[in-house]
Amino acid sequence: MSLMAEMRDAEARRSKAERKLIDHILGEPEAVLNTPIARLAAAVGVSEPTVNRFCRAMGARGFPDFKLRLAGELARARPSMARDIEPGDSGSHVAAKIFEATAASLSSAHNSLDTGALEQAVEALDRARAIALCGLGASASVALDAQHKLLRFDTPVVAHTDIINQRMLTASLRPEDCLLCISYTGRTRAITEVAQLARDSGATVIGLTSPGSPLAKACSMVLGVEGGEDTDLYTPMTSRIAQLVIIDVLVTTLALRKGDDFADHLEAVKRSVAATRSR
Amino acid sequence: MSLMAEMRDAEARRSKAERKLIDHILGEPEAVLNTPIARLAAAVGVSEPTVNRFCRAMGARGFPDFKLRLAGELARARPSMARDIEPGDSGSHVAAKIFEATAASLSSAHNSLDTGALEQAVEALDRARAIALCGLGASASVALDAQHKLLRFDTPVVAHTDIINQRMLTASLRPEDCLLCISYTGRTRAITEVAQLARDSGATVIGLTSPGSPLAKACSMVLGVEGGEDTDLYTPMTSRIAQLVIIDVLVTTLALRKGDDFADHLEAVKRSVAATRSR
DNA sequence: CGCCATGATGTTGTTTTATTACATTTAAGA
DNA sequence: TCTTAAATGTAATAAAACAACATCATGGCG
């Protein structure tokens, strides 16, 4: 178990001195990192060996090791926020900021992910006679990525990335089919019309888009990707990543639901790909 | 900036002793955490104060503080939850695992990103008369994503996602051109041959692939994406995300380098896209 | 109700670890 | 080649963590 959780959990059944310690550490975990054992002991009002023994009880090898572990946990808990990129930034600064912004965006997408909607979407994909995917511009590559992942299943799947084909597609959709429409803004008129046409034909339309947008309104169900931090420069990039991860989740959940059949099918796909490898 | 990135970045321009240190730390970062300064100094073959001075140079307050920071970064790079998804997992559990694995993969990619290679790649893209992108299978969508991003610049850019077109493309490449080859494994024979053909024609070939792979060897320069944790199930998914983020970094750095010209061009692109929006 | 036993906590001294101050070496430039 | 500054190392010092032992509290049992 994690240190923080362990401490919260153990607080009740521990001795008086250790309770004081736990209270103090949970209150200011960050501060503990820069505090030597003597100062911490004094601040809490216990002796140094008590602190040390406590650290061991928590599974660490001693006080320094305890701090190391705590540092690790705290680092996860605090997603570092990136500021905007400025012209003066060196290459590695740019990289750091983008990686951080992306991580933050992922975390935000995760928090705002609607599990219920996700289950519904998986349900729809599982039942579908055929799956179609639509995206324009940047979302086209997301649609293709999704297509590639879904190819592992035995449900017919197709991605369309140009508007003409997308509109033609809607004509062939049946109520048993499922269409996944991808758009970051949800304000691209063309794709909204496609979703509408698909609805008219009775198909289930899942929107992977911004909640509340015109596209979202046109869909049967929506997997929302909030913009998160609205740094104009990153948002489209980072939210595309979030979309891709949501698709990962969607596909993986679907795979679990399909169960054993899927395992066999996956094997077959892997074998057919292996033949193209070197060495 | 992150320690790992900082170290990679600084490696070139630091003194001999510090280079040895950096090599050693980057080689076994986890091990450093449980090593006192004396042992580390001895293992590397430098004196203790050298280690200490190095830690300060990296922005820490001393060796223990350095370890604390390193622990934080390394923690991000390792997923904390159980790695593999099991059939019994609930929907939200699956989502949590995938988001976490992706975040870990990103962090790991960031830590192992070679800033020097990145600068070189940006340089090459900046000078290029024309840019071509190649990817097959899952990497096809990455190539298309990159194409979309690069379309914002005024250098001609094209992505090819089928092997025939890719081979034909190599015939038209000139030494002033730049080809970006994308493959997670780097073992897809077809794409390696494309890279080789492109090299033969004198073009600069950048590989976005696994370091040390056949494809990597065939390229002029490599942007490595290490697999990170080798969880068979996620790796291909998460590393694709890492590739996309690296492309973000590449493109953003390129944008900064192009400077003002780019700002104007970006405005024009935004206006032309705005016309397609609702409301 | 008080005494013993056991576990918790504290005190003191030792050992390990990190840091400082200073000496030496190495490399860079004139 | 000599000068000078930076880099690195040595050795002493300070800080920190830890272990061994002493003391205290608490709860069971006569």
Side-chain angles (χ1 to χ4, degrees):
Chain A
M1 198 191 315
S2 85
L3 278 184
M4 296 290 278
E6 178 91 26
M7 286 194 284
R8 270 188 280 271
D9 189 48
E11 181 159 17
R13 62 171 183 278
R14 290 252 159 211
S15 70
K16 197 168 49 185
E18 301 204 331
R19 270 202 303 276
K20 282 197 290 181
L21 252 174
I22 292 179
D23 284 350
H24 191 271
I25 297 174
L26 287 179
E28 285 280 3
E30 302 275 355
V32 172
L33 298 183
N34 304 319
T35 309
I37 192 170
R39 189 126 36 104
L40 176 63
V44 177
V46 299
S47 70
E48 297 182 26
T50 299
V51 177
N52 199 298
R53 281 187 283 258
F54 170 73
C55 295
R56 296 224 167 112
M58 298 316 265
R61 284 202 317 227
F63 184 65
D65 187 43
F66 179 84
K67 288 206 282 192
L68 243 35
R69 292 174 191 229
L70 192 62
E73 281 186 28
L74 294 176
R76 288 178 201 288
R78 144 179 48 77
S80 46
M81 269 311 301
R83 301 152 296 278
D84 265 335
I85 290 174
E86 284 143 42
D89 283 349
S90 79
S92 39
H93 274 205
V94 171
K97 285 180 177 178
I98 290 180
F99 272 95
E100 280 169 19
T102 307
S105 155
L106 275 184
S107 159
S108 141
H110 183 194
N111 289 336
S112 64
L113 183 65
D114 179 346
T115 318
L118 193 92
E119 287 290 344
Q120 274 192 295
V122 171
E123 173 81 27
L125 290 175
D126 191 22
R127 285 173 195 256
R129 181 194 66 139
I131 300 172
L133 304 156
C134 289
L136 291 171
S139 299
S141 62
V142 179
L144 289 168
D145 184 85
Q147 176 190 35
H148 183 262
K149 283 173 184 150
L150 289 167
L151 277 174
R152 293 186 140 77
F153 301 108
D154 47 10
T155 309
V157 55
V158 62
H160 286 295
T161 61
D162 88 80
I163 188 63
I164 306 292
N165 287 349
Q166 289 171 0
R167 294 187 78 107
M168 287 179 65
L169 165 79
T170 61
S172 71
L173 285 175
R174 299 218 213 130
E176 312 91 78
D177 294 336
C178 187
L179 171 66
L180 182 66
C181 285
I182 304 163
S183 162
Y184 165 57
T185 61
R187 303 196 171 283
T188 307
R189 212 176 292 123
I191 201 99
T192 308
E193 287 168 14
V194 169
Q196 194 57 64
L197 288 169
R199 285 297 293 285
D200 293 347
S201 72
T204 303
V205 180
I206 306 171
L208 183 52
T209 187
S210 170
S213 63
L215 173 58
K217 283 172 193 147
C219 294
S220 326
M221 59 187 79
V222 178
L223 293 172
V225 179
E226 307 269 4
E229 281 301 297
D230 261 338
T231 47
D232 242 12
L233 194 60
Y234 302 133
T235 312
M237 299 177 178
T238 58
S239 62
R240 205 175 319 167
I241 302 287
Q243 287 179 338
L244 286 164
V245 176
I246 289 176
I247 286 175
D248 270 353
V249 174
L250 211 53
V251 172
T252 306
T253 312
L254 186 58
L256 284 178
R257 174 186 276 251
K258 298 235 182 210
D260 292 335
D261 307 353
F262 169 67
D264 295 349
H265 187 69
L266 187 58
E267 259 319 298
V269 173
K270 272 192 181 165
R271 267 198 308 279
S272 78
V273 173
T276 68
R277 303 266 183 256
S278 319
R279 231 199 275 168
Chain B
M1 197 194 327
S2 89
L3 276 183
M4 295 291 277
E6 175 94 26
M7 286 194 284
R8 276 185 186 276
D9 191 45
E11 180 161 19
R13 62 170 183 278
R14 291 247 159 216
S15 67
K16 197 169 46 183
E18 303 204 329
R19 271 202 302 277
K20 282 198 290 181
L21 252 173
I22 292 179
D23 283 350
H24 192 271
I25 298 173
L26 288 178
E28 285 280 2
E30 303 276 357
V32 172
L33 299 182
N34 302 319
T35 310
I37 192 169
R39 189 127 37 104
L40 176 62
V44 177
V46 301
S47 70
E48 299 181 27
T50 299
V51 176
N52 199 301
R53 280 187 284 257
F54 170 72
C55 294
R56 296 228 165 105
M58 297 318 263
R61 283 201 316 227
F63 184 65
D65 186 44
F66 179 84
K67 288 206 281 192
L68 242 36
R69 292 175 191 229
L70 192 62
E73 282 186 29
L74 295 177
R76 286 175 191 279
R78 306 239 159 275
S80 68
M81 301 186 83
R83 294 153 222 306
D84 282 324
I85 289 172
E86 284 143 43
D89 285 348
S90 77
S92 55
H93 216 179
V94 171
K97 284 180 176 176
I98 291 180
F99 271 95
E100 193 173 298
T102 307
S105 157
L106 276 184
S107 175
S108 149
H110 182 197
N111 286 343
S112 64
L113 184 65
D114 180 345
T115 317
L118 193 93
E119 288 289 343
Q120 274 190 295
V122 170
E123 171 81 28
L125 289 176
D126 190 23
R127 285 173 195 255
R129 183 193 65 138
I131 300 172
L133 304 156
C134 287
L136 291 171
S139 300
S141 63
V142 178
L144 288 168
D145 183 84
Q147 176 189 36
H148 183 262
K149 282 173 185 150
L150 289 167
L151 277 174
R152 293 187 140 79
F153 301 108
D154 46 10
T155 308
V157 55
V158 63
H160 286 296
T161 61
D162 90 78
I163 188 63
I164 306 292
N165 286 349
Q166 289 171 1
R167 295 187 77 108
M168 287 181 64
L169 164 80
T170 61
S172 71
L173 286 175
R174 299 215 213 134
E176 312 91 79
D177 295 337
C178 187
L179 171 67
L180 182 66
C181 285
I182 304 164
S183 164
Y184 164 57
T185 62
R187 303 194 171 283
T188 308
R189 213 176 292 123
I191 201 97
T192 307
E193 286 168 15
V194 168
Q196 195 56 62
L197 288 169
R199 284 298 291 286
D200 293 347
S201 72
T204 303
V205 180
I206 305 172
L208 183 53
T209 187
S210 170
S213 64
L215 174 57
K217 283 172 193 147
C219 294
S220 328
M221 60 188 80
V222 179
L223 294 172
V225 180
E226 307 266 7
E229 278 296 296
D230 262 338
T231 49
D232 246 10
L233 192 62
Y234 301 133
T235 313
M237 299 178 177
T238 57
S239 62
R240 203 177 318 168
I241 303 285
Q243 287 179 337
L244 286 165
V245 177
I246 288 176
I247 285 175
D248 270 355
V249 174
L250 212 54
V251 172
T252 307
T253 312
L254 187 58
L256 287 176
R257 175 187 274 251
K258 297 233 182 210
D260 291 336
D261 309 351
F262 168 68
D264 294 349
H265 187 67
L266 186 59
E267 259 318 299
V269 173
K270 274 191 179 166
R271 268 198 307 278
S272 77
V273 173
T276 68
R277 303 265 184 255
S278 318
R279 228 197 278 170

